[in-house]
Amino acid sequence: PAGCRPAAGGGGGKAPGGRATAGTSSGENKGLPLSKLQRPTGSAGAKKGNGAAAAALAKRYPLTCPPIQHYQAKHSLEHPLHRSAILQVRFSNDGRFLATASADATARLLKLPLGEHQGRGITLSGGAGKANAAIQTVAWSCNRDASAMAITTSADGVVNLWNASKASDYPLMSFSTRVSNFKSADGAGSTGNLSSPAGGVRRGSSSAGLRSGAGVPGAGSSSSSSSTTAGAPANAPFGAGNVKDARFFYMDRFVLVGASGGVYMYKYFVDDAPRDDIRTTANHSRYKLVHHAPLRDSQQLSAFGCVNTFHSYVVLAAGSNKSIEAYDFNVGRTLRTIADAHVGRPAHSLVLNEGSPFVTYSSDAYNLFLTAAATDCVKLWDLRTAKSVRRFEGHVNRVHACGVAFSPCCRYVASGSENKSAYIFDVRAGSQLLRLGGHTDVVTSVAYHPLHPQLVTGSLDGKLRFFADAP
């Protein structure tokens, strides 16, 4: 799906709405048809001069590795990592950390190898919202240096942005209302004072662009912003149970929040000045809604997917009417709609083939995406034709949201299952290859390591299990 090609290393690109950034001309890659959208070669998130990143980029994920099947006891912990269910697992882009989201109201950013560090890392809890609200999703920013961030969503409808490099009792920012967090915000058009405070480190979008909204679809438009909450206060809270997921977008320049009614795109900047119990209210981090992508015929959004490791305009969203919409944030319109994508229930998981910083393959592979729905199979889709090209069956999924994932080599698909197992499927043949057991409850999430042939599974039993292609 979705990407104009920036310079190698992600140094430049064309921002949504047509504004050019450093390293590209304003007329580059305009109007790319879906068949031309592709990922750039190389890693988009690595910075020159970073020794660890440079060393990692010299390595490559093996494209011809056998399917993952061997349990790695040395990397797993015997005791549960969380006191309650693990709802999502995600590797960082460089593969050195693992993030988990749990129903015990915490998310954890773990150092790898897990067995060597014995589960040590950063625990994220608290922030705006209820202290006992389950953390439903977690996602990483592109960077893995001092500016690395993580974003979490909770069952009470709050999105928290965290510093992923050091422990803190307070998030960098909380997205709790639909339009902005300005003190004077009473709807669209409120600008506020976005100057960076002394000692603060600004990340994300520039404050000038956030105030003016220049070059971003819908930014600064009262009609666009007010339409996000028709029949409700313009800056109303998202509400408990209404936030499905949140991601960094367009190489960390924006934050996307999937909530009832569609996908919301925010500009933001972060005040990273030191905080303590006295300075808890002195945070100057700000966000503002710049565009809302509503679902055409669905009342509720059930899942959405986007890419962040390279420049991409397209976001896929699944709705309660069982349709899937491809929305282009660059032109502000729906490109394509797939009706009745699943039988029975809407998709609960939607995963784009984002690849890995450590692998490069045909640009056609980036037009593939996966969906999964309760009472139905896992489906592989081609965005160019809007058709399902493979069906993966054999796992059990009747009630819970069981996650799916592409392997970095794009040869395998992994899926969770309600029979306490994970399944590995062959992409080319569409057949089941392996069943990986060992959990004592539903396997809710799966994730492939971006550099090594390794799979991690998370379960309702609160445990993680690691598998590899060799003992």
Side-chain angles (χ1 to χ4, degrees):
C4 68
R5 294 193 293 178
K14 184 168 174 290
R19 181 173 55 193
T21 60
T24 186
S25 64
S26 59
E28 180 182 357
N29 289 329
K30 286 187 176 180
L32 284 174
L34 290 178
S35 61
K36 298 295 185 181
L37 301 180
Q38 55 185 297
R39 186 191 199 281
T41 58
S43 170
K47 293 185 176 181
K48 292 182 179 180
N50 186 328
L57 283 177
K59 303 177 181 179
R60 307 296 292 174
Y61 189 95
L63 294 179
T64 58
C65 64
I68 289 173
Q69 57 184 305
H70 299 282
Y71 173 62
Q72 293 183 299
K74 63 180 180 180
H75 293 309
S76 303
L77 301 178
E78 294 184 1
H79 57 84
L81 187 68
H82 288 274
R83 299 188 307 272
S84 188
I86 293 177
L87 303 179
Q88 193 171 67
V89 293
R90 287 187 185 276
F91 284 103
S92 61
N93 289 332
D94 60 6
R96 296 190 297 126
F97 296 86
L98 178 71
T100 63
S102 174
D104 66 3
T106 66
R108 301 192 66 183
L109 310 181
L110 305 165
K111 296 180 180 179
L112 298 177
L114 190 65
E116 176 181 331
H117 293 283
Q118 288 298 302
R120 289 190 294 270
I122 298 174
T123 299
L124 309 178
S125 63
K130 298 179 181 179
N132 60 348
I135 304 296
Q136 299 172 315
T137 66
V138 60
W140 294 93
S141 64
C142 280
N143 295 329
R144 262 300 344 153
D145 53 16
S147 63
M149 294 179 288
I151 190 166
T152 61
T153 66
S154 54
D156 57 357
V158 175
V159 179
N160 286 318
L161 195 67
W162 303 86
N163 188 327
S165 300
K166 59 183 179 181
S168 174
D169 294 330
Y170 311 104
L172 296 172
M173 180 164 50
S174 294
F175 296 72
S176 56
T177 52
R178 295 175 188 256
V179 176
S180 74
N181 64 344
F182 302 126
K183 292 182 180 179
S184 60
D186 56 356
S190 175
T191 58
N193 182 9
L194 298 181
S195 58
S196 180
V201 178
R202 188 181 301 158
R203 304 188 218 155
S205 307
S206 66
S207 61
L210 185 53
R211 284 196 297 269
S212 65
V216 181
S221 168
S222 59
S223 61
S224 172
S225 296
S226 62
S227 68
T228 64
T229 54
N235 202 29
F238 285 110
N242 286 331
V243 176
K244 299 299 182 182
D245 201 352
R247 305 281 186 87
F248 292 99
F249 182 56
Y250 210 75
M251 295 180 67
D252 297 345
R253 287 196 60 191
F254 302 93
V255 164
L256 296 183
V257 176
S260 57
V263 180
Y264 299 78
M265 182 173 75
Y266 296 93
K267 274 191 167 185
Y268 68 99
F269 80 91
V270 171
D271 168 19
D272 204 13
R275 302 174 66 190
D276 51 34
D277 291 339
I278 298 176
R279 287 196 74 250
T280 55
T281 60
N283 190 314
H284 293 85
S285 298
R286 293 291 182 264
Y287 70 87
K288 184 178 180 180
L289 177 69
V290 292
H291 195 66
H292 172 226
L295 295 176
R296 285 182 170 180
D297 301 315
S298 296
Q299 294 183 346
Q300 296 289 332
L301 178 131
S302 60
F304 84 92
C306 65
V307 300
N308 185 48
T309 55
F310 56 93
H311 288 131
S312 168
Y313 307 139
V314 176
V315 174
L316 302 183
S320 56
N321 65 344
K322 296 178 284 187
S323 68
I324 298 171
E325 297 184 19
Y327 191 90
D328 189 333
F329 273 96
N330 187 46
V331 297
R333 66 181 179 88
T334 299
L335 301 176
R336 186 161 292 166
T337 299
I338 303 173
D340 298 321
H342 283 275
V343 177
R345 299 185 186 179
H348 57 63
S349 297
L350 195 160
V351 178
L352 283 72
N353 183 27
E354 192 169 0
S356 161
F358 307 100
V359 66
T360 301
Y361 36 69
S362 168
S363 60
D364 293 341
Y366 297 101
N367 290 292
L368 301 176
F369 66 96
L370 293 169
T371 61
T375 71
D376 201 2
C377 61
V378 176
K379 290 186 177 182
L380 175 68
W381 301 83
D382 190 324
L383 184 58
R384 295 164 297 181
T385 62
K387 293 183 179 179
S388 174
V389 294
R390 292 289 186 277
R391 295 169 56 92
F392 305 113
E393 299 177 306
H395 69 300
V396 180
N397 190 189
R398 300 187 181 94
V399 178
H400 298 277
C402 298
V404 293
F406 282 103
S407 66
C409 62
C410 203
R411 297 178 61 201
Y412 309 107
V413 165
S415 171
S417 178
E418 293 177 3
N419 61 351
K420 309 174 186 178
S421 304
Y423 286 77
I424 307 295
F425 300 97
D426 186 297
V427 169
R428 293 182 179 179
S431 59
Q432 176 187 323
L433 294 177
L434 296 164
R435 174 182 171 183
L436 308 176
H439 282 289
T440 59
D441 212 327
V442 175
V443 176
T444 53
S445 186
V446 293
Y448 279 95
H449 195 283
L451 177 57
H452 306 296
Q454 185 183 57
L455 178 76
V456 62
T457 60
S459 170
L460 294 184
D461 59 18
K463 293 183 178 181
L464 298 174
R465 290 177 69 84
F466 289 82
F467 300 86
D469 61 334

